[in-house]
Amino acid sequence: MSQKPNPEPKLSHGLAACPECAEPLDSGDRFCGACGHDLSAVAAAGTEPDRPTVAIGTPVVWPAAPPRDAGSLSTMTQHPGDLPGTDSGGRDLPTMEVRTDGPLPEAAPAPAPDPQGAPSSGGDFELAAPDPRTAVQVDPPQAPAHPPAPAQPPAPAQPPAPAQPPAPGSGAASLCVACRAGRVDTDGYCENCGHAQPRERDHMEQELGTVAAVSDRGLRHHRNEDSFAVSATTLPDGSPASLAIVCDGVSSATRPDEASAAAAQAAGASLLAALPRGIHPQQAMHEAIVAASEAVNSLAEEPGRDGAEHDPHRNSPACTIVGSVVADGLLVVGWVGDSRVYWVPDDRSTPAARLTEDDSWAAQMVAAGLMNEAEAYADERAHAITGWLGADAYELDPHTAAFKPDRSGVVVVCTDGLWNYAEGPEDMARVVPADAAGRPLHGAQVLVGHALDGGGHDNITVALLPFTVTPPGAGSA
């Protein structure tokens, strides 16, 4: 879950007593309380910073992409010579190799002003349906049933509006799942034993023939602020396309759960409308992120589901977004924020890869050469995001990239609730089941279980999209 960055710590003078009058000092004093001696000059003259510092938002000059073996997916983002990965402005995506040890490069871009108040981090289309094991209602909620996995991708259709989750305990016959005696009030708590009732979004699963996703509240949070949308459609030539959108609500913002749900719904609907018209998947992904941003922006002008107006003293509703489209031999990704996409080949003797770069404080520190990856992600500011969807975002800058893998594998689209427990590509490849491409729902369930076993400190959402490469000549008469 995304965070707000903490303020920069004050520089300590490192003195126990004033050098002029020997008056005892506190570490945060700027002047001696007895004689008025300027202690900041002492700190500046007597200490050296551990490393150069730059403000969040400093532009980074990325090096040229590293060389690769033909047909490999071993580089960090795009591959020279293949369909290049670019952002929405046509600029090449970063391909800097991350260092985990050794000396730091002597590169530090000129500082830029530090932004203030940055948040830290189917044919049929629908938001994920709840796991029936967590349903509160005695009477089943009125929501469309999931269609069975189609043998062929269904024809494109106008997506229906997804069913809104009912308020916990809103049914007339709602009984507590713990004591089975008390009734559940409108706040979702038992009037008899006080037990909080499971909510519809606490655990969600959805599977189509070519994509599946699972989202779980985790073990430490009182609600699930993640959301997803998965779907399948066809291109104008009849070839299949599958897509997955994953959104992570910014916990420090207002109504983050509504923001993630609105973004996932809007982005999924935009892709379903664009792909059957023949729009290039990379352009369609860009348009989907813009649509998601507009949907989240509109929440800042509307009251919440409880009727409460937006609090002007809190950040506007905000979330991150990451998505992937598999269509016509292309693997397209798009994102804003710190959720990620990984590529895991079926042949685990070949390298896995991370296909996105985080919009985060830690990623900027590594990219600028100020810290190695281990140092940056150990810092308490590591997960402060520098890009998000919301009315108070400084500038919308959707990142998109396209790849042409030469082998079959599975695409992992996830929030940091998962990748915090499998951060490197090789770590992710170790926890993705070997049969994930053939059983994507089972694979997603295993990955969520891995995060829960690791502590479940955050909401966890993961979508899996199999990518199949047909050998030359296969299917010919």
Side-chain angles (χ1 to χ4, degrees):
M1 192 166 293
S2 308
Q3 308 169 351
K4 273 191 176 181
N6 291 325
E8 293 289 342
K10 296 180 180 179
L11 179 64
S12 173
H13 47 67
L15 299 175
C18 175
E20 288 291 320
C21 67
E23 177 75 6
L25 300 173
D26 292 331
S27 60
D29 288 344
R30 297 183 58 187
F31 299 92
C32 175
C35 68
H37 187 72
D38 186 354
L39 302 175
S40 60
V42 177
T47 62
E48 290 293 335
D50 293 335
R51 57 180 68 88
T53 58
V54 296
I56 293 176
T58 300
V60 176
V61 179
W62 298 97
R68 70 178 183 93
D69 297 330
S72 170
L73 273 171
S74 60
T75 53
M76 206 63 172
T77 52
Q78 83 277 13
H79 311 135
D82 289 345
L83 183 64
T86 58
D87 62 20
S88 57
R91 302 180 296 273
D92 287 344
L93 286 172
T95 56
M96 183 176 193
E97 182 178 0
V98 174
R99 301 191 59 178
T100 58
D101 54 17
L104 299 174
E106 297 181 1
D114 192 3
Q116 298 296 319
S120 100
S121 117
D124 290 335
F125 168 76
E126 59 184 63
L127 288 181
D131 184 346
R133 295 171 296 181
T134 62
V136 177
Q137 305 292 339
V138 173
D139 296 328
Q142 300 302 313
H146 291 299
Q152 296 294 333
Q158 185 67 22
Q164 295 295 335
S170 59
S174 293
L175 294 177
C176 175
V177 298
C179 69
R180 304 302 300 171
R183 303 181 67 84
V184 179
D185 62 22
T186 57
D187 293 330
Y189 291 87
C190 175
E191 296 176 345
N192 178 50
C193 69
H195 189 87
Q197 305 302 294
R199 302 179 184 181
E200 189 170 14
R201 286 179 62 172
D202 281 359
H203 186 90
M204 303 180 289
E205 297 186 0
Q206 188 174 359
E207 181 181 35
L208 302 176
T210 55
V211 58
V214 177
S215 182
D216 193 272
R217 184 185 67 183
L219 303 178
R220 303 294 182 91
H221 288 277
H222 72 286
R223 66 181 176 186
N224 188 358
E225 296 174 356
D226 289 356
S227 191
F228 67 80
V230 294
S231 193
T233 185
T234 55
L235 303 182
D237 62 0
S239 59
S242 56
L243 61 98
I245 297 292
V246 169
C247 298
D248 183 352
V250 176
S251 58
S252 58
T254 307
R255 296 148 54 197
D257 53 333
E258 295 183 38
S260 63
Q265 176 187 349
S270 176
L271 286 169
L272 278 179
L275 293 173
R277 301 204 311 266
I279 296 177
H280 191 284
Q282 190 168 359
Q283 178 62 28
M285 179 62 74
H286 174 90
E287 294 175 359
I289 295 176
V290 172
S293 176
E294 293 172 349
V296 177
N297 290 351
S298 67
L299 294 178
E301 304 170 0
E302 301 174 357
R305 289 177 183 163
D306 58 359
E309 296 291 339
H310 172 61
D311 183 352
H313 300 291
R314 293 198 63 194
N315 292 332
S316 297
C319 68
T320 67
I321 186 171
V322 65
S324 182
V325 172
V326 171
D328 194 26
L330 283 179
L331 165 53
V332 173
V333 299
W335 73 98
V336 174
D338 62 349
S339 294
R340 295 180 175 180
V341 178
Y342 292 83
W343 161 258
V344 178
D346 290 344
D347 180 3
R348 300 303 168 83
S349 65
T350 57
R354 173 153 65 95
L355 306 182
T356 58
E357 289 287 343
D358 299 343
D359 290 323
S360 70
W361 181 91
Q364 286 202 341
M365 294 301 101
V366 174
L370 303 179
M371 293 182 177
N372 61 45
E373 190 175 44
E375 292 173 327
Y377 281 97
D379 193 285
E380 63 182 6
R381 297 164 290 181
H383 289 276
I385 57 173
T386 57
W388 66 94
L389 305 184
D392 57 356
Y394 303 115
E395 179 182 5
L396 179 62
D397 185 18
H399 313 293
T400 63
F403 306 88
K404 300 185 72 174
D406 63 350
R407 64 202 67 185
S408 297
V410 64
V411 183
V412 181
V413 186
C414 64
T415 61
D416 58 348
L418 171 62
W419 67 251
N420 275 327
Y421 300 99
E423 188 168 338
E426 64 284 351
D427 301 320
M428 187 64 72
R430 279 194 293 268
V431 299
V432 172
D435 62 350
R439 302 173 63 197
L441 178 58
H442 173 260
Q445 291 168 336
V446 169
L447 292 175
V448 169
H450 172 77
L452 292 173
D453 290 343
H457 286 75
D458 201 350
N459 305 148
I460 310 150
T461 302
V462 57
L464 297 184
L465 298 91
F467 185 98
T468 303
V469 173
T470 304
S476 58

